[in-house]
mmCIF file of all heavy atoms in Angstrom:
data_model
loop_
_atom_site.group_PDB
_atom_site.id
_atom_site.type_symbol
_atom_site.label_atom_id
_atom_site.label_comp_id
_atom_site.label_asym_id
_atom_site.label_seq_id
_atom_site.Cartn_x
_atom_site.Cartn_y
_atom_site.Cartn_z
ATOM 1 N N THR A 136 7.452 -3.202 0.798
ATOM 2 C CA THR A 136 7.466 -4.098 -0.361
ATOM 3 C C THR A 136 6.047 -4.344 -0.854
ATOM 4 O O THR A 136 5.785 -4.339 -2.061
ATOM 5 C CB THR A 136 8.139 -5.433 -0.005
ATOM 6 O OG1 THR A 136 9.455 -5.162 0.464
ATOM 7 C CG2 THR A 136 8.192 -6.367 -1.199
ATOM 8 N N PHE A 137 5.124 -4.527 0.060
ATOM 9 C CA PHE A 137 3.726 -4.734 -0.302
ATOM 10 C C PHE A 137 3.175 -3.528 -1.053
ATOM 11 O O PHE A 137 2.545 -3.666 -2.100
ATOM 12 C CB PHE A 137 2.899 -5.001 0.958
ATOM 13 C CG PHE A 137 1.416 -5.073 0.708
ATOM 14 C CD1 PHE A 137 0.870 -6.172 0.071
ATOM 15 C CD2 PHE A 137 0.584 -4.047 1.101
ATOM 16 C CE1 PHE A 137 -0.495 -6.246 -0.172
ATOM 17 C CE2 PHE A 137 -0.772 -4.102 0.866
ATOM 18 C CZ PHE A 137 -1.320 -5.209 0.230
ATOM 19 N N VAL A 138 3.444 -2.320 -0.531
ATOM 20 C CA VAL A 138 2.946 -1.100 -1.169
ATOM 21 C C VAL A 138 3.540 -0.953 -2.563
ATOM 22 O O VAL A 138 2.832 -0.641 -3.523
ATOM 23 C CB VAL A 138 3.244 0.139 -0.303
ATOM 24 C CG1 VAL A 138 2.927 1.417 -1.059
ATOM 25 C CG2 VAL A 138 2.469 0.075 0.994
ATOM 26 N N ARG A 139 4.845 -1.181 -2.706
ATOM 27 C CA ARG A 139 5.484 -1.085 -4.034
ATOM 28 C C ARG A 139 4.891 -2.106 -5.000
ATOM 29 O O ARG A 139 4.762 -1.839 -6.192
ATOM 30 C CB ARG A 139 6.987 -1.312 -3.906
ATOM 31 C CG ARG A 139 7.719 -0.120 -3.382
ATOM 32 C CD ARG A 139 9.238 -0.345 -3.471
ATOM 33 N NE ARG A 139 9.882 0.364 -2.395
ATOM 34 C CZ ARG A 139 10.290 -0.178 -1.250
ATOM 35 N NH1 ARG A 139 10.160 -1.461 -1.038
ATOM 36 N NH2 ARG A 139 10.842 0.556 -0.322
ATOM 37 N N THR A 140 4.533 -3.275 -4.501
ATOM 38 C CA THR A 140 3.997 -4.342 -5.348
ATOM 39 C C THR A 140 2.613 -4.007 -5.885
ATOM 40 O O THR A 140 2.327 -4.253 -7.057
ATOM 41 C CB THR A 140 3.930 -5.659 -4.553
ATOM 42 O OG1 THR A 140 5.247 -6.002 -4.117
ATOM 43 C CG2 THR A 140 3.388 -6.792 -5.400
ATOM 44 N N ILE A 141 1.746 -3.436 -5.053
ATOM 45 C CA ILE A 141 0.370 -3.197 -5.498
ATOM 46 C C ILE A 141 0.153 -1.821 -6.107
ATOM 47 O O ILE A 141 -0.883 -1.581 -6.712
ATOM 48 C CB ILE A 141 -0.639 -3.417 -4.350
ATOM 49 C CG1 ILE A 141 -0.462 -2.365 -3.245
ATOM 50 C CG2 ILE A 141 -0.561 -4.819 -3.800
ATOM 51 C CD1 ILE A 141 -1.591 -2.328 -2.241
ATOM 52 N N SER A 142 1.116 -0.917 -5.971
ATOM 53 C CA SER A 142 0.934 0.446 -6.447
ATOM 54 C C SER A 142 0.987 0.528 -7.968
ATOM 55 O O SER A 142 1.797 -0.118 -8.617
ATOM 56 C CB SER A 142 2.007 1.365 -5.858
ATOM 57 O OG SER A 142 1.827 2.678 -6.324
ATOM 58 N N GLU A 143 0.118 1.348 -8.504
ATOM 59 C CA GLU A 143 0.108 1.582 -9.944
ATOM 60 C C GLU A 143 0.925 2.811 -10.312
ATOM 61 O O GLU A 143 1.101 3.106 -11.488
ATOM 62 C CB GLU A 143 -1.328 1.751 -10.439
ATOM 63 C CG GLU A 143 -2.153 0.489 -10.285
ATOM 64 C CD GLU A 143 -3.583 0.675 -10.742
ATOM 65 O OE1 GLU A 143 -4.002 1.820 -10.998
ATOM 66 O OE2 GLU A 143 -4.284 -0.338 -10.828
ATOM 67 N N ILE A 144 1.407 3.553 -9.324
ATOM 68 C CA ILE A 144 2.233 4.732 -9.550
ATOM 69 C C ILE A 144 3.534 4.576 -8.758
ATOM 70 O O ILE A 144 3.635 3.696 -7.902
ATOM 71 C CB ILE A 144 1.512 6.039 -9.133
ATOM 72 C CG1 ILE A 144 1.171 6.015 -7.640
ATOM 73 C CG2 ILE A 144 0.262 6.258 -9.975
ATOM 74 C CD1 ILE A 144 0.634 7.317 -7.113
ATOM 75 N N GLU A 145 4.519 5.441 -9.028
ATOM 76 C CA GLU A 145 5.777 5.371 -8.302
ATOM 77 C C GLU A 145 5.544 5.721 -6.839
ATOM 78 O O GLU A 145 4.838 6.675 -6.504
ATOM 79 C CB GLU A 145 6.785 6.334 -8.904
ATOM 80 C CG GLU A 145 8.162 6.210 -8.281
ATOM 81 C CD GLU A 145 9.199 7.069 -8.980
ATOM 82 O OE1 GLU A 145 8.908 7.551 -10.090
ATOM 83 O OE2 GLU A 145 10.286 7.242 -8.416
ATOM 84 N N VAL A 146 6.138 4.948 -5.952
ATOM 85 C CA VAL A 146 5.932 5.099 -4.514
ATOM 86 C C VAL A 146 7.040 5.978 -3.932
ATOM 87 O O VAL A 146 8.206 5.824 -4.268
ATOM 88 C CB VAL A 146 5.941 3.719 -3.828
ATOM 89 C CG1 VAL A 146 5.813 3.863 -2.314
ATOM 90 C CG2 VAL A 146 4.835 2.849 -4.378
ATOM 91 N N VAL A 147 6.659 6.911 -3.053
ATOM 92 C CA VAL A 147 7.628 7.733 -2.343
ATOM 93 C C VAL A 147 8.183 6.895 -1.206
ATOM 94 O O VAL A 147 7.445 6.379 -0.376
ATOM 95 C CB VAL A 147 6.960 9.016 -1.786
ATOM 96 C CG1 VAL A 147 7.953 9.809 -0.958
ATOM 97 C CG2 VAL A 147 6.407 9.855 -2.908
ATOM 98 N N ASP A 148 9.507 6.730 -1.168
ATOM 99 C CA ASP A 148 10.145 5.894 -0.156
ATOM 100 C C ASP A 148 10.441 6.721 1.094
ATOM 101 O O ASP A 148 11.180 7.695 1.037
ATOM 102 C CB ASP A 148 11.433 5.297 -0.725
ATOM 103 C CG ASP A 148 11.984 4.184 0.145
ATOM 104 O OD1 ASP A 148 11.391 3.887 1.195
ATOM 105 O OD2 ASP A 148 13.004 3.607 -0.240
ATOM 106 N N THR A 149 9.870 6.340 2.221
ATOM 107 C CA THR A 149 10.084 7.053 3.476
ATOM 108 C C THR A 149 10.951 6.257 4.433
ATOM 109 O O THR A 149 11.155 6.677 5.570
ATOM 110 C CB THR A 149 8.747 7.385 4.163
ATOM 111 O OG1 THR A 149 8.048 6.171 4.416
ATOM 112 C CG2 THR A 149 7.908 8.306 3.289
#
Side-chain angles (χ1 to χ4, degrees):
T136 303
F137 173 73
V138 171
R139 282 188 211 99
T140 300
I141 66 168
S142 180
E143 295 178 350
I144 61 172
E145 186 174 346
V146 176
V147 176
D148 193 359
T149 59

